[in-house]
Amino acid sequence: MKGIIMCVGLVAASLIAKPVLAQEAASDGNYSLQEILGLALEHHVEIRKADLSILEGQQKVREVKAQALPQLNGNANLTDNLLLPVLILPGEFTGNPGTVSQVRIGTQYNFAASASASQQIFNQSVFTGLQAAKASEEFYELSKSLTEEQVIEQVASLYYQVLITQHQLEQMESTLQKLEENVRLVALQVDAGFVKKTDLSRLKVSQTNLKTQAQGISDGLSQQKNLLKYYTGIPLEQDVSLEGLNPAEMPGQVQLADDSEVTNLTSYRLLDAQQHLYSLEEKSFKSGYFPTLALTAQYAYNGVGNNFDYFKSKENSTLNWYDNASIGLQLSVPIFDGFRKDAQIQQSKIHLLKVQEDKRSTEKMLNLQRANALNTIRTSRESLLAQQENVALAQEVYNEGQQTYSEGVTSLSDLLDAETALTDAQLGYASALLQYRLSELQLLKSEGNIKSLVNQ
């Protein structure tokens, strides 16, 4: 089983797409979360590989079913006996007792064409294989479903990260605009001799640092968008704008699922399907002890002679033509195979024991993930509320500091400290918001409702 690889910043793709919506969104470059997930499902390599695995599984089913269908074979051969075999006959057969005679037997040219057919009447291994083939189809479907859930989680994480990084950049650009206005005003005050030139220099240093920080965020945002385009098949040259979520608004409370039995989760059901396949594998090996019965039929047409007259008409040919046919029943009874089947059966039993251990471990882990997700969603929401209040307070202090500085009441250091505190508070809020959104995804995954993001 592939584990879900979560990494803030580098995440993957998504689920079942709605091509019409995707095309409509692509026309103006605006994408909702559902449209991004739909596009990712169409283009993500893991989803495509899962589809190919389903196709591969279907062909394996056909391969197994073929064993229960009639088997037809045709053969043809032409032989030129350069030296005919010699038969040694005692003299008693030729009328010369005490001597031997050499007699060449056969003809120089032999042609034979034959066709054979067989049909399984009773073969327990084939019947069990048909059951396993049907079960394998369910296994491949569940595997794809699990891949879809992983991709949804990953691409939704990237979607939230892009959106929140974009919000960070907007906040910093807003702060930069205010700082540029302060630089302009202080420059006028320096020219008028009201403030020292060092105050202007300190403001410019703060402005440069903030620009550098904003540029780093902008570069990171571009990389995140490019990654999103890569996973969704959007051309790299096309600009994208994400919609459907306002980072400045406090997210609503998450609705908890009524039924959160871990045995209903795809990852657990996949182990159930794997266990069923191993049980059928054991049954198939045990079927090897059963006898098999098949109906056989054969027809052959032969032409022999000492002259190569195969391309002449029958009237002018010296060849002798004859045919033969047969039908029969073929019974095969296994007696002793050196304990090969017993070793295979024991291996299947070991596989079953391992899957049972995986199921117990997975059930505990899924329950743990559920408990952790509930705890994380509570603490991350509390942190988000605190950061939201912190931003409001920092904004209030900054606005007051800007006003008092312009009136000459406070120093430039106080204003710069207030500006730094506001920037830190804004970045802290964005980080808390991202953590909260990721906690939502973890909770949805632990409840088995991650696919609900596609149909919101």
Side-chain angles (χ1 to χ4, degrees), residues 440-456:
E440 282 184 330
L441 293 178
Q442 289 298 310
L443 183 60
L444 287 173
K445 183 186 75 171
S446 70
E447 294 176 341
N449 292 327
I450 193 75
K451 289 185 177 181
S452 64
L453 292 174
V454 181
N455 302 316
Q456 283 183 347

Side-chain angles (χ1 to χ4, degrees), residues 261-330:
E261 283 292 329
V262 296
T263 54
N264 295 327
L265 300 182
T266 306
S267 55
Y268 191 89
R269 291 169 58 207
L270 192 61
L271 288 174
D272 277 337
Q274 190 176 25
Q275 183 179 21
H276 183 46
L277 283 173
Y278 279 135
S279 65
L280 289 174
E281 180 186 63
E282 180 185 1
K283 184 179 178 181
S284 178
F285 288 140
K286 288 180 178 179
S287 299
Y289 290 114
F290 287 78
T292 61
L293 181 64
L295 175 65
T296 62
Q298 183 170 342
Y299 175 80
Y301 191 64
N302 302 274
V304 297
N306 290 317
N307 297 315
F308 196 82
D309 294 342
Y310 291 102
F311 298 103
K312 294 181 180 180
S313 63
K314 286 189 176 182
E315 294 79 9
N316 300 322
S317 174
T318 61
L319 297 175
N320 295 304
W321 293 92
Y322 62 93
D323 59 356
N324 63 283
S326 65
I327 60 172
L329 291 174
Q330 181 179 354

Side-chain angles (χ1 to χ4, degrees), residues 90-251:
E92 286 76 7
F93 287 92
T94 62
N96 297 309
T99 65
V100 293
S101 299
Q102 297 182 3
V103 180
R104 292 192 178 273
I105 60 173
T107 57
Q108 182 176 354
Y109 298 105
N110 295 316
F111 172 78
S114 64
S116 62
S118 64
Q119 171 63 56
Q120 296 288 339
I121 298 176
F122 177 79
N123 190 326
Q124 188 62 39
S125 295
V126 173
F127 301 151
T128 305
L130 292 174
Q131 292 178 312
K134 184 176 181 180
S136 67
E137 290 185 285
E138 179 186 359
F139 179 82
Y140 284 118
E141 290 290 347
L142 284 172
S143 295
K144 180 185 176 181
S145 182
L146 181 61
T147 302
E148 289 171 346
E149 291 178 6
Q150 294 170 349
V151 164
I152 289 174
E153 180 192 2
Q154 293 168 348
V155 79
S157 299
L158 182 57
Y159 169 87
Y160 288 139
Q161 185 174 357
V162 170
L163 202 60
I164 291 170
T165 303
Q166 191 171 282
H167 175 68
Q168 284 181 315
L169 185 60
E170 291 171 354
Q171 292 295 319
M172 296 199 73
E173 288 175 345
S174 175
T175 302
L176 267 173
Q177 289 178 356
K178 295 175 183 178
L179 189 57
E180 287 172 0
E181 179 63 20
N182 286 337
V183 169
R184 187 186 66 80
L185 292 175
V186 170
L188 293 175
Q189 291 176 340
V190 169
D191 292 340
F194 294 136
V195 298
K196 297 182 293 183
K197 189 176 180 180
T198 53
D199 287 348
L200 178 61
S201 298
R202 292 178 63 189
L203 274 176
K204 287 183 176 181
V205 168
S206 180
Q207 181 185 37
T208 300
N209 290 337
L210 197 58
K211 281 183 177 180
T212 302
Q213 194 174 1
Q215 185 60 50
I217 293 176
S218 178
D219 292 342
L221 179 61
S222 296
Q223 293 176 12
Q224 294 164 11
K225 283 187 174 182
N226 286 339
L227 186 61
L228 196 63
K229 293 175 187 178
Y230 171 75
Y231 286 131
T232 55
I234 300 173
L236 286 176
E237 62 273 11
Q238 178 181 325
D239 191 23
V240 296
S241 176
L242 305 184
E243 58 184 29
L245 178 68
N246 184 1
E249 294 181 0
M250 175 62 64

